[in-house]
């Protein structure tokens, strides 16, 4: 294919190569930021379902999370979040003190519904309560501390995205994003 202006041939698949190169650069930058934030540091314990996300184990016995797999799972979670037309149909929950600030910021920028602090039992299952909701997606910061929310989401057939550490239980979690969820 010859370009009439310059007389040179332009390959048809050039835009796809540019997109792939941009994604590789973005992935590298994101992984660098995750390293700075110590996202790769796991715990001493490792759940058998989380072994596939562990890169290696240090001399101290701390499991190191594979950040390439973390980035891939973040992209999968982003695709799932984008499919929901109304952001108010997303609930973001955290019972951890450091997670509540992140939940409130995420809700502020995306329009999702934030549930920082204590999860009211029956929020997804008891229609009589005033706080009853029917979300299309639940995002939690830790499936262990937010176990009540994850359990109710499984009863209501609501998909769950969770930030999981190496020792986190993965029951009823649909998309697990391996990351250090214990720190600030």
């Amino acid at each position: 294919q010859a370009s009439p202006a310059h007389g040179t041939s332009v390959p048809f698949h050039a835009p796809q190569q540019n997109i792939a190169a941009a994604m590789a650069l973005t992935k590298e930058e994101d992984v660098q930021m995750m390293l700075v934030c110590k996202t790769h540091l796991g715990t001493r314990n490792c759940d058998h379902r989380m072994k596939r996300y562990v890169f290696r184990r240090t001399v101290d016995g701390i499991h190191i999370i594979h950040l390439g797999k973390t980035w891939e799972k973040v992209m999968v979670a982003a695709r799932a979040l984008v499919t929901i037309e109304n952001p108010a149909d997303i609930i973001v929950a955290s019972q951890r003190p450091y997670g509540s600030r992140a939940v409130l910021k995420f809700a502020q920028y995306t329009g999702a519904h934030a549930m920082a602090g204590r999860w009211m039992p029956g929020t997804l299952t008891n229609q009589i309560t005033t706080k009853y909701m029917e979300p299309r997606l639940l995002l939690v910061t830790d499936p262990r501390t937010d176990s009540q929310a994850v359990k109710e989401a499984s009863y209501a057939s609501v998909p769950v995205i969770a930030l999981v550490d190496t020792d986190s239980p993965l029951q009823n979690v649909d998309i697990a994003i391996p990351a250090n969820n214990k720190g600030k």
Side-chain angles (χ1 to χ4, degrees):
Q1 300 169 351
S3 174
H6 301 291
T8 60
S9 65
V10 177
F12 180 71
H13 59 298
Q16 286 86 6
Q17 286 178 343
N18 291 342
I19 291 170
M23 286 296 285
L25 258 172
T26 303
K27 179 179 180 181
E28 190 173 314
E29 291 170 358
D30 290 344
V31 168
Q32 289 294 327
M33 282 193 279
M34 285 191 266
L35 274 170
V36 170
C37 296
K38 299 181 181 174
T39 307
H40 63 290
L41 298 177
T43 60
R44 292 184 191 274
N45 299 328
C46 185
D47 189 64
H48 69 280
R49 293 184 194 99
M50 288 297 295
K51 283 184 182 174
R52 68 174 122 174
Y53 302 118
V54 173
F55 176 64
R56 67 183 187 91
R57 192 172 181 176
T58 63
V59 180
D60 303 353
I62 295 173
H63 292 87
I64 304 296
I65 297 170
H66 193 292
L67 290 180
K69 294 182 180 182
T70 299
W71 187 83
E72 289 171 6
K73 286 294 200 157
V74 167
M75 292 299 116
V76 170
R79 288 184 184 134
L81 288 167
V82 167
T83 59
I84 296 172
E85 301 86 19
N86 186 7
D89 288 340
I90 300 171
I91 293 180
V92 191
S94 177
Q95 291 188 15
R96 290 183 169 269
Y98 292 121
S100 60
R101 181 171 182 261
V103 161
L104 293 171
K105 287 231 179 230
F106 182 86
Q108 175 187 355
Y109 289 115
T110 60
H113 187 78
M115 298 277 293
R118 186 174 182 272
W119 177 270
M120 182 65 68
T123 302
L124 304 179
T125 55
N126 190 357
Q127 292 93 352
I128 298 171
T129 61
T130 57
K131 295 197 178 231
Y132 175 73
M133 289 191 235
E134 293 185 80
R136 302 226 6 237
L137 186 79
L138 175 68
L139 180 68
V140 295
T141 56
D142 187 9
R144 188 180 306 280
T145 57
D146 302 318
S147 61
Q148 179 70 32
V150 172
K151 189 190 300 182
E152 286 187 28
S154 72
Y155 292 156
S157 299
V158 174
V160 176
I161 300 174
L163 295 171
V164 295
D165 212 332
T166 54
D167 64 345
S168 296
L170 293 181
Q171 288 89 3
N172 303 320
V173 173
D174 298 303
I175 300 174
I177 302 172
N180 177 9
N181 60 9
K182 304 287 191 283
K184 295 180 183 181

